[in-house]
Amino acid sequence: MQTATHLDREHCVRAVQSKDARFDGWFFTAVLTTRIYCRPSCPVVPPKPENMTFYPSAAACQQAGFRACKRCRPDTSPGSPEWNHRADLVARAMRLIADGVVDREGVPGLASRLGYSARQVERQLLAELGAGPLALARAQRAQTARLLIETTALPMAEIAFAAGFASVRAFNDTVREVFALTPSELRARAPRSGVGTPAGIGLRLPFRAPLNPSNLFGHLAATAVPGVEEWRDGAYRRTLRLPYGHGTASLTPRPDHIACRLTLSDLRDLPVAISRCRRMLDLDADPVAVDDHLRTDPLLAPLVDKAPGRRVPRTVDEAEFAVRAVLGQQVSTAAARTHAARLVTAHGKPLDDPEGGLTHLFPSPEALAAVDPETLAMPRTRRTTFTTLVRELAEGTLQLGVESDWAEARARLLSLPGFGPWTADVIAMRALGDPDAFLPTDLGIRRAAAELGLPATPAALTARAEAWRPWRAYAVQYLWATDGHPINFLPV
C-alpha cells in the first residue's frame, strides 16, 4: 500500500484476482508495468501481484502518474462508503469536496467550513487518501468533463468551464493526462445514441448490489411534496436548489444502476447535482457489510434475508428536510405533505418543467423566516418550533450541511424549543446521513418490535439496538418494513 487504507495488501490482491465488484470505489489498483489504474473488478486478466500497487483514491493514482483504464473506467465506480458512515475530519472534507466546495470556495473555504486550518486539512487528506484537496477536486473535475464530453454535444470550451477548469488549456492537459486521450478522441469513442443536450443530461448512477428499490423509492414517493416531487412513469422526479442555479432530477431504478436525467439551468452544477442525487439514494453504501452485521441478530436475520439491500432514503437539501420533519411532528404522512405543499405554493420559487408536474423549488430558510407566523395553520407550540428553526437556519447559527458534525448538530437541535429525540434523530438519519441514528420512540418501530417479540418500550429497544451499531438507521428500514407501512412499497 502507498497510503493508509482499511484493507491490507493481501485482501486487495485477492479482491483483484477474483474481480470482486464489491470493492469498486474502496480502493484502486495501479499496474506498475502499464502505468494504468483500474477498479478491482476490471474485466482484463489481472496483473501479477508483484506488479500491483494500491491507492485509496483515483486522485492519488493520478498524482503518482497512472492513467485511467479505458476498459473498466475506474472514474465511474461507486464512491467509497467510508465517507458516508464516518463523521471525522476526512469524511466531512470528502463530502464537501464532492459537493463542489473546493471549486467554488477554494481550499481556504473548505478549511473554514470544517473549522480547521488549511494545513491540517491537507495533512489529514494526504495521510489517508494520498492526495490533497486540490488533487481530489481535480479528479472530480476530470470525471465531470468526461461525462459532458461523452453525453452532450457542447463545445469543448463550454465543457471546460462547466466542469470547473480555469482555462481550456488546463482542461485539455488534465483530460490527456488522466484518460490518455484528447477530449476530441474521448468524444469520438463515445456511443452516439442517447447524447443529451445542455438542458437534459442522461447518465447512469452505479451502486453496490443488492439494492431494494421498493424501500428506497417507495419512501420518497409516499412522502413526496406536490410541486417539488412526484412519482411518474416509474421515475422519482424532484426539483433541485443548486449553488449556481436550479434544476430537476429524474431517477429511475434499473437492475444494475439508477437511470438519471438532469435538467440544469447552469451546467457548473452538474457534479453537485450528481453528488446530491447519489447521497439522497444512499448509493455509496456497502449493503453486504450492513446486512451481514444485522444478520447476527436472529430476529433481524429473516427480515434481511427476505429483502436485502435496503438503503436509508436521504435528501438533496438538509434544511428542507429539517423543515419537513417539523411539519410532520405528530401528524400523518398525508397531513405533513399537505402542510408542506401549502408552504411551497405560497413561498416557493416557481420554475418551468417541460413535463408539467414540478412547479416550485422548496422555499429557502430565508423565505420561510419572512413568513408571518399567524398565517401558519399549525398549533402554536409547533409554530414556535417552526419559526425558531427557520430563523436559525437563515441566520446560519444552525448548520445542517454535509460538513456537519453529527453529534454537535443533534445536540443543537435538541436545544431548540419543540425538538425531542424523534425529530432530532430523523433529521440525523435522513438529512445529516448518520447511519447509526435510531428512532426508539417511533410508533412504527415500536409496533414492529412488538410483532417480532422485542421489548417495545423506547429504553428496552435502545438497549437491544446496541448490538446493531453502527448500522441502526438501516435496522430502522427493516423494522419499518415489518409494519407494512406504505412508504416501503413502490406505487403501482
Side-chain angles (χ1 to χ4, degrees), residues 39-53:
R39 60 171 76 198
S41 65
C42 184
V44 304
V45 177
K48 295 178 180 179
E50 60 266 29
N51 292 329
M52 299 181 199
T53 189

Side-chain angles (χ1 to χ4, degrees), residues 64 81 135 155 234 243 262 382 386 396 409 418 438 492:
L262 295 169
R382 193 172 310 138
F386 176 89
F438 190 54
V492 176

Side-chain angles (χ1 to χ4, degrees), residues 259-324:
C260 173
R261 188 157 191 86
L262 295 169
T263 303
L264 305 174
S265 63
D266 191 316
L267 278 177
R268 290 177 295 175
D269 284 320
L270 178 62
V272 178
I274 294 172
S275 174
R276 293 184 183 179
C277 288
R278 292 192 62 82
R279 182 170 167 78
M280 176 177 65
L281 300 181
D282 198 16
L283 296 186
D284 291 330
D286 184 351
V288 173
V290 173
D291 289 351
D292 283 351
H293 181 76
L294 296 180
R295 282 191 184 97
T296 61
D297 187 315
L299 289 178
L300 285 186
L303 306 182
V304 175
D305 292 337
K306 181 180 179 181
R310 290 186 180 274
R311 300 301 209 272
V312 179
R314 294 192 172 129
T315 183
V316 295
D317 188 321
E318 296 84 2
E320 172 192 314
F321 185 83
V323 170
R324 290 170 60 172

Side-chain angles (χ1 to χ4, degrees), residues 121-417:
V121 174
E122 180 95 23
R123 185 169 61 246
Q124 291 279 350
L125 289 172
L126 281 170
E128 184 157 346
L129 288 159
L134 288 176
L136 291 162
R138 177 179 179 267
Q140 181 168 284
R141 286 195 295 273
Q143 181 179 349
T144 303
R146 180 174 193 161
L147 183 64
L148 288 171
I149 290 168
E150 294 181 339
T151 62
T152 77
L154 284 173
M156 295 300 177
E158 290 187 34
I159 290 176
F161 293 109
F165 289 96
S167 68
V168 174
R169 180 176 180 177
F171 160 73
N172 287 329
D173 290 346
T174 298
V175 170
R176 278 196 298 265
E177 181 181 332
V178 174
F179 304 114
L181 294 168
T182 67
S184 297
E185 288 169 338
L186 264 182
R187 176 164 281 174
R189 289 167 56 96
R192 303 317 299 162
S193 60
V195 172
T197 67
I201 298 172
L203 56 144
R204 296 158 61 105
L205 303 182
F207 56 78
R208 293 177 184 84
L211 180 141
N212 188 316
S214 290
N215 147 237
L216 184 59
F217 287 89
H219 197 130
L220 294 171
T223 59
V225 176
V228 174
E229 306 164 280
E230 68 171 358
W231 178 263
R232 176 186 291 196
D233 300 329
Y236 167 75
R237 303 178 69 241
R238 74 151 292 146
T239 61
L240 304 170
R241 184 188 310 280
L242 298 163
Y244 294 106
H246 61 265
T248 62
S250 177
L251 301 160
T252 307
R254 302 293 188 209
D256 61 348
H257 68 279
I258 302 298
C260 173
R261 188 157 191 86
L262 295 169
T263 303
L264 305 174
S265 63
D266 191 316
L267 278 177
R268 290 177 295 175
D269 284 320
L270 178 62
V272 178
I274 294 172
S275 174
R276 293 184 183 179
C277 288
R278 292 192 62 82
R279 182 170 167 78
M280 176 177 65
L281 300 181
D282 198 16
L283 296 186
D284 291 330
D286 184 351
V288 173
V290 173
D291 289 351
D292 283 351
H293 181 76
L294 296 180
R295 282 191 184 97
T296 61
D297 187 315
L299 289 178
L300 285 186
L303 306 182
V304 175
D305 292 337
K306 181 180 179 181
R310 290 186 180 274
R311 300 301 209 272
V312 179
R314 294 192 172 129
T315 183
V316 295
D317 188 321
E318 296 84 2
E320 172 192 314
F321 185 83
V323 170
R324 290 170 60 172
V326 169
L327 296 177
Q329 288 178 331
Q330 300 178 345
V331 299
S332 67
T333 298
R337 293 177 70 225
T338 299
H339 286 318
R342 289 172 182 160
L343 284 180
V344 166
T345 301
H347 308 289
K349 179 180 178 181
L351 54 74
D352 292 327
D353 172 24
E355 297 186 37
L358 304 178
T359 59
H360 291 79
L361 296 174
F362 196 86
S364 67
E366 293 77 11
L368 292 175
V371 174
D372 180 358
E374 297 302 319
T375 64
L376 299 173
M378 59 182 71
R380 185 168 297 278
T381 54
R382 193 172 310 138
R383 192 182 305 166
T384 300
T385 302
F386 176 89
T387 55
T388 303
L389 171 67
V390 296
R391 183 179 66 250
E392 297 232 351
L393 288 170
E395 293 174 353
T397 51
L398 173 64
Q399 297 287 341
L400 297 178
V402 293
E403 72 274 23
S404 297
D405 179 283
W406 298 332
E408 290 180 6
R410 187 178 183 278
R412 181 75 181 116
L413 287 168
L414 287 172
S415 72
L416 302 180

